[in-house]
Amino acid sequence: MSHSRDYQRIQQAIEFIVQETPVQPSLEAIANAVHLSPFHFQRMFQQWAGVSPKKFMQFISIEHAKTLLEQDYTLQQTSLEVGLSSSSRLHDLFISIEGMTPGQYKSGGLGLYIDYHFYLTIFGDVLIAATERGICHMAFCEDRQSALQELTAQFEQATLRHQEHPHHQQGMAIFSNSNAALEPIKLHLAGTPFQLKVWQSLLSIPSGQLSNYAHIAQSIGKPTAARAVGTAIAKNPIAYLIPCHRVIRNTGELGNYRWGKSRKTAMIGWEAAQSDIEQNHE
């Protein structure tokens, strides 16, 4: 994953693009903002995203987001009419969620052994932690010490061990963008029944698509609980695998994200780019 180390520059570029979106910044202006020549920046961005910065700007626009939200609503309406769930979508096929026991949840992981390690992804550093039953924590981080403190606070009674685990590698495989290489990924999560239900529902949002809080609330049979859904999404402990980054405001604005708004923008644009590339190759 050689282009993962370019992410810091990519993040700076995306922040500049979002800030300057009303004037549609030129390639030269974006490259200058990250202190690279236009040629070098274009090549680096193309390697990371698979598309040009100009096309990427289209994928993170409010207009594009609104189109995806309309598609999501159409998909949900069709599913409701024919009595189908969204379980046939890719994420649901290989990611399964198991809730921790009430005792483990309330006690802060008492009796659990949790193996953790830091890894480098195309969206920056990530901390992955796993019990013997599955991944229990996955968080992007700018500072490793703070990330570890957050993990420790979440499972203050568990025994933490700094070592790799096979579950980590299964989680990392998702960044390869090769569905053929994916093995089933198990998640072992501490959450309330409502939170687990919301997190499960997020798995039905396909890569390259978007949803909003109201649609998620409707999908779990709680159409008036959009605010509670938003709170549950904000507490999602598993970055990227449970794709809370694909949930945006109904206005088309991307909104905030637990691991940084610019990272959320990067994910949405990158996934849209990969979907576009796949469709053009079919």
Side-chain angles (χ1 to χ4, degrees):
M1 196 178 299
S2 60
H3 53 276
S4 61
R5 296 190 183 278
D6 292 331
Y7 179 69
Q8 191 171 7
R9 285 278 175 82
I10 297 293
Q11 188 176 29
Q12 292 171 356
I14 288 172
E15 288 171 356
F16 179 80
I17 289 171
V18 171
Q19 182 180 341
E20 300 295 323
T21 292
V23 296
Q24 291 291 292
S26 65
L27 174 64
E28 290 75 15
I30 303 170
N32 184 60
V34 295
H35 310 294
L36 292 174
S37 70
F39 173 78
H40 187 188
F41 173 70
Q42 173 93 0
R43 184 174 62 179
M44 182 192 74
F45 198 95
Q46 185 86 31
Q47 287 176 339
W48 179 81
V51 296
S52 68
K54 183 177 180 180
K55 190 154 193 177
F56 187 88
M57 279 192 277
Q58 297 172 1
F59 291 141
I60 61 173
S61 69
I62 287 180
E63 291 75 18
H64 182 71
K66 285 181 176 178
T67 299
L68 294 180
L69 285 180
E70 290 170 1
Q71 291 175 1
D72 174 67
Y73 184 72
T74 302
L75 283 170
Q76 289 203 23
Q77 286 297 100
T78 302
S79 296
L80 288 170
E81 288 171 8
V82 299
L84 298 176
S85 70
S86 303
S87 59
S88 62
R89 296 177 184 175
L90 179 62
H91 256 64
D92 269 344
L93 291 179
F94 68 91
I95 296 181
S96 59
I97 293 178
E98 175 186 341
M100 291 186 179
T101 66
Q104 291 168 335
Y105 172 45
K106 292 178 181 178
S107 69
L110 183 65
L112 290 177
Y113 287 88
I114 297 177
D115 297 331
Y116 72 91
H117 198 70
F118 291 91
Y119 299 89
L120 193 60
T121 77
I122 57 172
F123 303 113
D125 273 357
V126 69
L127 169 61
I128 306 180
T131 69
E132 62 177 6
R133 304 191 72 86
I135 295 172
C136 61
H137 181 89
M138 184 166 172
F140 291 107
C141 58
E142 307 299 333
D143 174 63
R144 292 188 172 190
Q145 189 60 38
S146 297
L148 182 55
Q149 288 173 354
E150 181 184 344
L151 174 64
T152 303
Q154 184 181 359
F155 297 105
E156 57 187 2
Q157 297 298 321
T159 300
L160 301 185
R161 303 181 296 196
H162 189 185
Q163 60 187 31
E164 296 192 58
H165 191 286
H167 287 312
H168 298 172
Q169 299 305 326
Q170 291 168 357
M172 282 295 293
I174 197 170
F175 298 108
S176 70
N177 199 36
S178 174
N179 295 334
L182 290 172
E183 297 180 24
I185 299 172
K186 295 181 179 180
L187 306 180
H188 189 205
L189 306 185
T192 66
F194 181 79
Q195 288 172 336
L196 292 170
K197 192 170 187 178
V198 171
W199 299 339
Q200 179 71 49
S201 73
L202 299 182
L203 299 180
S204 67
I205 310 172
S207 180
Q209 298 296 316
L210 299 174
S211 188
N212 65 21
Y213 303 109
H215 291 179
I216 297 298
Q218 185 177 18
S219 74
I220 64 171
K222 303 283 187 180
T224 61
R227 185 179 294 274
V229 163
T231 300
I233 289 174
K235 293 182 178 180
N236 168 30
I238 307 291
Y240 201 76
L241 293 179
I242 296 181
C244 57
H245 60 279
R246 297 177 192 155
V247 183
I248 68 172
R249 296 171 180 167
N250 58 10
T251 58
E253 295 174 290
L254 302 190
N256 295 323
Y257 183 57
R258 181 172 178 175
W259 295 286
K261 187 174 181 179
S262 59
R263 183 174 276 112
K264 179 177 183 175
T265 307
M267 291 177 181
I268 289 173
W270 185 85
E271 290 182 344
Q274 305 315 302
S275 296
D276 185 68
I277 292 168
E278 289 176 9
Q279 290 171 8
N280 289 332
H281 285 175
E282 289 178 353

